[in-house]
Amino acid sequence: MTIQTKNDQSDPGLNFKKEMQTRHIVMLALGGVIGTGLFLTSGYTVNQAGPLGAVIAYIIGAVMVYLVMVCLGELAVQMPETGSFSTYATRYLGPGTGYTVAWLYWLTWAVAIGSEFTAAGILMVRWFPDTPVWIWSAFFAIAVFLSNVVSVRLFAETEFWLSLIKVLTVITFIVIGGGAICGLFQVQHLQGAGLSNFTREGLFPTGLLPIAMTLLAVSFAFSGTELIGIAAGEAQDPQTSVPKAIRTTVVRLALFFVGTIFVLATLLPREQAGVIESPFVMVFELIGIPYSADIMNFVILTALISAANSGLYAASRMLWTLSDQGHMPKRYARLSRRGTPVNAIVLSMAGAAASLLSSVLAPDTVYLALVSISGLAVVVVWMSIAASQIAFRRQYVANGGRVEDLHFRVRGYPWVPIGALLCCLLACVGIAFDPEQRVALYFGLPFIAWCYFVYWITRKKREERLALAAAAHHSAGAA
């Protein structure tokens, strides 16, 4: 059974360049995940859930990512489209759901991009105290914009090398931290050696509920793996590169994140882990590595630029998808000669600027709502991927397709997608018990309802827009 995709159209103005190699896709996913959530806020999980609870939370997060990614893999290999999970949700769960998923994901990255540029500017002031933050923020914004606009190849290469710096830093941290745990390095100011942090206050000093309460933060830390699905539409050989990228990425992320959190939980007392600026810096300083703060300042800077780079890529592809489906003016689906959606990139940058402006003018209202929605959006998008895979498999088999013919298939169906749905649901339920995270539900659920409402009231205009586009395309073909 063959499924045609929109990326197969003959019109060159609608086709993306197939320039993504396997190494690009792997590093794009790793780069999208390994960011400030790991380098700066990972100590929060240790503080809230305790050392053992944090390790368990990240193991659950790794399992959740694996379940979601194999579901996405089956869909992306069979239908390698730039719209990815938004297109799948439109096709198998309904156009309203696809519309909502696209806007949720776009908003997630638009909010993140603005904050990344601000944080990058602040970090540069550490080395250049006489320069204003906005100059550096503008400099990095221009660099990221050019990386995305010039060509897909330039974006992929830039992201590859930025991500490589982060990956090497995490590996170094785990190796050095593991050596300190085993007594190979002399560590200062620790209350005990070995695994004493895990038993000093009892196995679960804050109880079991905080494990579920931190799952949303853990899920957000793992967000970015789904970029593999978006990149599949621009991959040179998606049937080969996407499965390899998924297997490689999931295994590495599980090792990196669980290994990192184990080192942090072992070396840092729980009471200090959640209040320090960067747990990485503190561990390096305890081990006695010189210039630890400057080293991590550079690494975190690359993490911020990398996150903004991949975020702009993802956000622009979501706008392209919305335009391609008739939800937005057709100009946002136009591609440059080099195969980049320039108009969608420009609008995504404008959205990031608006988010950044709201953080200054309305931090306790508008910006709080945006951040809350984006935090919940990741879990909702993952749920849509699992649900789409279930619906796709049912339709595929009902239409006479053989499961054995799928180039990449979910083994253990339907328990794998059901498990993914349950893990995501557990994360949503867990935040209901955390007063600090509960605001994500207060803003996120109404926003989802609003997206469905807007889709419903604009359906006639969308149908007219698609009809006009089809007529124009037919006329051009006849000519």
Side-chain angles (χ1 to χ4, degrees), residues 217-415:
V218 171
S219 301
F220 195 74
F222 276 110
S223 66
T225 49
E226 65 283 339
L227 285 168
I228 290 176
I230 299 176
E234 299 172 71
Q236 291 180 350
D237 182 13
Q239 292 186 351
T240 301
S241 59
V242 172
K244 184 177 180 181
I246 287 177
R247 296 188 186 99
T248 303
T249 301
V250 172
V251 170
R252 289 178 181 176
L253 284 177
L255 294 175
F256 289 167
F257 273 75
V258 175
T260 297
I261 211 70
F262 176 78
V263 171
L264 291 177
T266 304
L267 296 180
L268 295 182
R270 182 186 65 83
E271 309 91 294
Q272 298 180 24
V275 297
I276 55 179
E277 182 179 352
S278 172
F280 275 65
V281 172
M282 185 173 184
V283 169
F284 280 147
E285 288 180 342
L286 289 174
I287 295 174
I289 296 179
Y291 306 107
S292 299
D294 285 316
I295 292 172
M296 285 310 303
N297 200 61
F298 172 74
V299 172
I300 294 170
L301 181 64
T302 62
L304 292 167
I305 300 170
S306 172
N309 196 38
S310 58
L312 184 58
Y313 171 83
S316 63
R317 269 53 179 182
M318 284 297 105
L319 288 187
W320 179 91
T321 300
L322 288 166
S323 177
D324 188 59
Q325 295 175 350
H327 301 299
M328 296 179 64
K330 206 64 181 175
R331 62 178 175 273
Y332 295 108
R334 294 188 190 130
L335 303 179
S336 68
R337 291 181 179 179
R338 292 180 174 269
T340 59
V342 177
N343 292 331
I345 293 173
V346 171
L347 186 57
S348 296
M349 283 292 286
S355 170
L356 178 58
L357 192 62
S358 71
S359 69
V360 177
L361 301 179
D364 298 325
T365 53
V366 177
Y367 188 68
L368 175 63
L370 293 176
V371 172
S372 301
I373 293 169
S374 65
L376 183 66
V378 172
V379 177
V380 174
V381 168
W382 287 0
M383 293 178 76
S384 77
I385 292 172
S388 295
Q389 191 275 328
I390 293 174
F392 160 74
R393 180 71 74 88
R394 287 177 178 174
Q395 181 176 319
Y396 180 80
V397 174
N399 290 338
R402 297 175 65 249
V403 175
E404 294 78 10
D405 293 336
L406 292 171
H407 294 284
F408 183 92
R409 65 180 183 272
V410 174
R411 303 181 185 277
Y413 175 88
W415 302 113

Side-chain angles (χ1 to χ4, degrees), residues 99-109 373 377 380-381 447-448:
Y99 176 84
T100 301
V101 166
W103 277 119
L104 280 170
Y105 200 66
W106 180 85
L107 181 64
T108 296
W109 283 114
I373 293 169
V380 174
V381 168
F447 180 80
I448 292 173

Side-chain angles (χ1 to χ4, degrees), residues 23-24 26-35 39 117 140 143-145 147-148 154-170 298-311:
R23 68 182 180 90
H24 294 140
V26 170
M27 280 301 184
L28 175 62
L30 289 175
V33 177
I34 300 175
F39 292 129
F117 289 144
F140 291 128
V144 167
F145 178 78
S147 169
N148 276 265
L154 176 61
F155 160 78
E157 287 294 337
T158 302
E159 190 58 31
F160 176 85
W161 292 106
L162 289 174
S163 298
L164 185 61
I165 293 173
K166 296 186 291 185
V167 169
L168 293 177
T169 301
V170 172
F298 172 74
V299 172
I300 294 170
L301 181 64
T302 62
L304 292 167
I305 300 170
S306 172
N309 196 38
S310 58

